[in-house]
Amino acid sequence: MKVPWKRVHSWKCLACGSCCKVYKPRLTFYEYLRLPKQFVEERRGRYYIRKINGRCPFQYGNLCAIQEKKPLSCKLFPFSIYERGEDDALFVYKDEEYYVYVDTFCKNLKLGKPSKEFINAIIEAIKIYRGEKTTPELITSRRALGTFFS
Ligand code: SF4
Ligand code: SF4
């Protein structure tokens, strides 16, 4: 379930890997072209990482092996950013309006009044969404940042 960011107190990724096992990440067309064909699929004009044996083929242990090519939707999880939404989801950054929702799947997420750290995480997510930043520092566990394979 996705809730507007104003209803979330805090969230911290501990690199448990559960979201990678459950979700089928959506890809941009460019991301689709960059990944090996046997690991991606197209359905009704949308692009995804293909689940193989029920999991993402790029997950090794709990961690992601494609840090350099990690899809935007994976970098942003549990955040989703839209151009339209509810008032509670509105976040203004550099005079531009974004509607930010948070997936409550992650058990390390707490509902309540947003903390300062959580607001900083949203700002980082928007910077990544806008292409101002490529490597997450706040919204991905430090444990998950190591690259095993190039
Ligand atoms: S976002 Fe949550 S579910 Fe996903 S790896 Fe981090 S702690 Fe686990
Ligand atoms: S590409 Fe990486 S972050 Fe995305 S689902 Fe697969 S293992 Fe997880």
Side-chain angles (χ1 to χ4, degrees):
M1 182 177 74
K2 289 180 182 177
V3 298
W5 72 269
K6 285 181 188 168
R7 295 181 206 160
V8 178
H9 170 65
S10 58
W11 162 74
K12 188 167 181 58
C13 180
L14 297 179
C16 75
S18 299
C19 51
C20 302
K21 294 184 180 107
V22 170
Y23 286 95
K24 194 178 181 99
R26 188 148 169 208
L27 304 171
T28 63
F29 183 58
Y30 175 66
E31 290 167 342
Y32 169 77
L33 293 178
R34 283 182 85 204
L35 291 170
K37 283 289 153 281
Q38 67 269 34
F39 297 142
V40 295
E41 63 187 13
E42 183 267 333
R43 276 191 291 124
R44 295 186 205 153
R46 294 183 172 184
Y47 307 95
Y48 302 89
I49 290 180
R50 186 195 300 270
K51 281 266 191 282
I52 295 183
N53 296 326
R55 62 190 299 167
C56 175
F58 302 117
Q59 189 179 33
Y60 286 80
N62 288 344
L63 305 182
C64 177
I66 56 165
Q67 296 297 324
E68 301 302 317
K69 295 181 183 175
K70 188 188 269 192
L72 180 63
S73 62
C74 296
K75 284 183 184 175
L76 293 181
F77 187 87
F79 298 105
S80 297
I81 300 173
Y82 304 103
E83 291 176 5
R84 294 181 190 81
E86 301 160 67
D87 289 349
D88 271 1
L90 175 63
F91 195 100
V92 179
Y93 175 78
K94 292 190 176 174
D95 294 330
E96 302 223 7
E97 295 185 347
Y98 299 92
Y99 291 85
V100 180
Y101 287 82
V102 190
D103 197 312
T104 58
F105 169 83
C106 180
K107 62 180 186 226
N108 297 319
L109 182 144
K110 291 193 183 109
L111 297 177
K113 187 178 172 204
S115 66
K116 191 167 186 310
E117 291 75 19
F118 184 65
I119 290 171
N120 287 338
I122 295 171
I123 292 170
E124 182 177 76
I126 291 174
K127 283 183 179 174
I128 289 170
Y129 178 78
R130 288 166 55 103
E132 291 177 4
K133 186 167 190 176
T134 51
T135 306
E137 290 163 17
L138 302 175
I139 62 174
T140 297
S141 166
R142 301 302 304 173
R143 287 173 55 209
L145 286 175
T147 302
F148 299 104
F149 303 86
S150 56

